[in-house]
Amino acid sequence: MSFSDLGLTPALLNILTNQEYENPYPIQKKVIPSIIEKQDLLGIARTGSGKTASFVLPILTNLQTSEISQNRHVNVLVLVPTRELATQVRDVFHIFSVGLPKPIKTMAVFGGASINPQMKAMRGVNVLVATPGRLIELVESNAVHLSAIETLVLDEADKMLNLGFKDEMNAIFKLLPQKRQNLLFSATLSENIEAITQFLLKNPVVVKIETGETNLDLIDQLAYDISEEKKGPLLRYLIKSQDMQQVLVFASSIFKVDNIAEKLTKNGIQAVATHSKKSSKARRDALHNFKAGKLRVLVTTDLLSRGIDIEFLPYVINYELPRSPKDYVHRIGRTGRAEAPGKALTLVTPQDQHHFKIIQKKMKRQVNRQDGNVINLQGY
Ligand code: AMP
């Protein structure tokens, strides 16, 4: 089955070819026709499955034939948990909107950035990608109206709930017209997600894409047993000795993330810390530079472990273990994607042993081990 069999508007087929999307991914084959038919949908899929294009392409197709609303009435609302995901989804809309017969304007809005430019730019927007809090602020100041929404997308709904957006989401749902299409994407199917599904979706098509297993097959995992005090030198040794040029390092606290980046920089390894206490611009710049290959090491908390698509990331290092085994898989899932093999290295202290066993058990994989304590770390 090719993209031309899915009912997409013809102009999109050229853009797909230009973007080197040769064949639809499994999620796209299943989801695109249902969305074009205006059905509600529950998509259980994580980043890397191709879920973004699976809703962007049919939404753009439908907008080509629907009545485009005017002024500050947007047609499509995509709710996302983080500003990074907001800009990423907006970019996919932009890429696929170029050259469409009926022009489509997409805008991303999120907190942490000043609201005035967002209010001004709202005129003529057809697709709004928004984090819940900022959207409410914009609605309250009459910068945007939600009464003409034809399609609502909740992207990474589980993450939105985890981040505590439930009340904001409910407030937004009340502002939407009764008759509309609802699309909900989530990496997991928890009780909370089921509840929101029942409330929101009408006879949804359910699509479940298991990407976890296949992704793990692409990832070369290795754990280093190491004492707490030798972690810093080992990290620097690994980056230098393996000549890693693009590596994402995870730690569990903001304090630690700052500390690691600072020490790497002091030791001549270009590194930037990014986390929720950084400004929106700083976060965006860090991610942009890292993606563009201009930044060698990006150190972060679990904020970036989901939802952020970094193509061909060769290395992930877990400087500290995440609390949940699921987060471990999400973290290492940043690498080894799109058929590109990647390496995930984890530093395991004696205190971590038990927790790391649980992670491996949940993941149903045994990770190869190396004794980091016997490596000569002199000079690192
Ligand atoms: P997503 O799960 O939406 O974050 O997409 C993961 C990555 O796959 C992104 O870099 C997309 O550009 C890429 N992608 C999505 N669909 C296709 C496709 N059919 N062919 C090639 N690349 C794709």
Side-chain angles (χ1 to χ4, degrees):
M1 191 190 279
S2 74
F3 276 113
S4 56
D5 302 318
L6 299 177
L8 293 169
T9 195
L12 280 176
L13 299 177
N14 296 331
I15 310 175
L16 281 162
T17 311
N18 291 341
Q19 290 297 319
E20 296 178 354
Y21 279 42
E22 282 175 15
N23 291 302
Y25 285 175
I27 189 168
Q28 293 158 356
K29 288 184 202 167
K30 292 184 180 165
V31 164
I32 290 173
S34 313
I35 298 183
I36 290 178
E37 283 171 18
K38 294 276 184 167
Q39 286 180 285
D40 277 9
L41 180 121
L42 170 64
I44 303 298
R46 53 189 289 264
T47 299
S49 58
K51 70 177 165 67
T52 317
S54 83
F55 65 82
V56 169
L57 297 169
I59 284 175
L60 288 173
T61 294
N62 288 347
L63 282 174
Q64 290 304 296
T65 50
S66 68
E67 187 137 331
I68 295 290
S69 53
Q70 301 297 316
N71 289 330
R72 293 170 182 275
H73 288 87
V74 287
N75 299 81
V76 175
L77 174 64
V78 186
L79 283 181
V80 294
T82 62
R83 50 193 110 179
E84 282 84 6
L85 190 60
T87 56
Q88 191 177 306
V89 170
R90 175 203 59 200
D91 290 348
V92 178
F93 270 104
H94 279 172
I95 287 168
F96 288 108
S97 299
V98 177
L100 288 179
K102 198 187 261 186
I104 301 299
K105 185 171 167 190
T106 300
M107 185 173 159
V109 295
F110 36 78
S114 84
I115 195 166
N116 280 341
Q118 295 182 355
M119 286 165 76
K120 285 196 187 122
M122 196 61 71
R123 198 169 283 277
V125 167
N126 311 111
V127 178
L128 183 62
V129 187
T131 52
R134 175 50 55 97
L135 178 65
I136 289 178
E137 289 177 88
L138 288 165
V139 169
E140 282 172 353
S141 49
N142 272 328
V144 63
H145 304 297
L146 303 181
S147 55
I149 296 286
E150 290 163 42
T151 303
L152 167 73
V153 184
L154 303 186
D155 195 8
E156 306 217 349
D158 52 346
K159 176 117 188 198
M160 263 191 288
L161 292 177
N162 289 344
L163 288 176
F165 283 131
K166 195 171 173 205
D167 292 344
E168 280 97 338
M169 286 159 77
N170 283 328
I172 291 165
F173 298 157
K174 288 194 186 123
L175 302 172
L176 303 175
Q178 283 290 323
K179 191 174 168 311
R180 60 170 200 264
Q181 181 180 32
N182 301 291
L183 313 172
L184 188 154
F185 290 88
S186 173
T188 53
L189 191 52
S190 63
E191 254 175 52
N192 284 338
I193 290 295
E194 289 208 30
I196 195 170
T197 298
Q198 301 241 331
F199 165 74
L200 208 67
L201 307 180
K202 297 198 179 66
N203 303 321
V205 174
V206 180
V207 174
K208 196 168 179 186
I209 300 290
E210 307 274 4
T211 46
E213 288 296 313
T214 36
N215 275 356
L216 285 178
D217 286 339
L218 286 173
I219 303 167
D220 186 5
Q221 297 189 55
L222 184 60
Y224 288 87
D225 289 301
I226 190 78
S227 64
E228 186 64 45
E229 60 281 6
K230 283 190 180 166
K231 276 171 117 178
L234 178 63
L235 176 68
R236 300 190 282 275
Y237 165 84
L238 291 172
I239 293 172
K240 283 187 174 166
S241 68
Q242 300 195 22
D243 195 24
M244 299 178 183
Q245 292 305 325
Q246 196 187 27
V247 50
L248 187 58
V249 175
F250 283 104
S252 46
S253 70
I254 290 175
F255 171 78
K256 199 77 212 172
V257 164
D258 281 335
N259 186 260
I260 293 168
E262 204 176 295
K263 289 219 172 114
L264 285 172
T265 310
K266 264 195 197 143
N267 281 277
I269 298 171
Q270 185 205 17
V272 167
T274 185
H275 48 65
S276 54
K277 289 273 174 338
K278 294 269 178 181
S279 74
S280 174
K281 183 177 180 327
R283 284 161 66 173
R284 203 170 46 230
D285 288 353
L287 192 64
H288 177 81
N289 289 336
F290 186 63
K291 277 181 163 186
K294 290 185 203 151
L295 169 64
R296 191 172 180 187
V297 185
L298 185 63
V299 192
T300 188
T301 58
D302 280 300
L303 175 78
L304 282 197
S305 71
R306 277 226 223 150
I308 293 305
D309 171 47
I310 301 172
E311 261 175 285
F312 311 124
L313 181 58
Y315 295 100
V316 165
I317 297 181
N318 293 307
Y319 188 89
E320 288 172 318
L321 292 181
R323 247 180 298 151
S324 106
K326 267 187 206 146
D327 278 338
Y328 175 87
V329 174
H330 285 132
R331 284 182 181 187
I332 68 169
R334 305 303 90 219
T335 178
R337 306 173 60 209
E339 312 303 317
K343 257 190 176 175
L345 310 180
T346 300
L347 309 194
V348 183
T349 64
Q351 294 93 306
D352 293 332
Q353 295 295 345
H354 178 66
H355 188 46
F356 194 54
K357 246 188 215 152
I358 296 174
I359 288 177
Q360 292 176 86
K361 203 170 156 205
K362 284 269 160 63
M363 180 171 63
K364 300 195 183 89
R365 298 225 166 189
Q366 197 72 29
V367 175
N368 285 334
R369 302 291 276 259
Q370 197 155 322
D371 187 358
N373 294 303
V374 301
I375 298 172
N376 182 2
L377 298 173
Q378 205 83 38
Y380 289 96

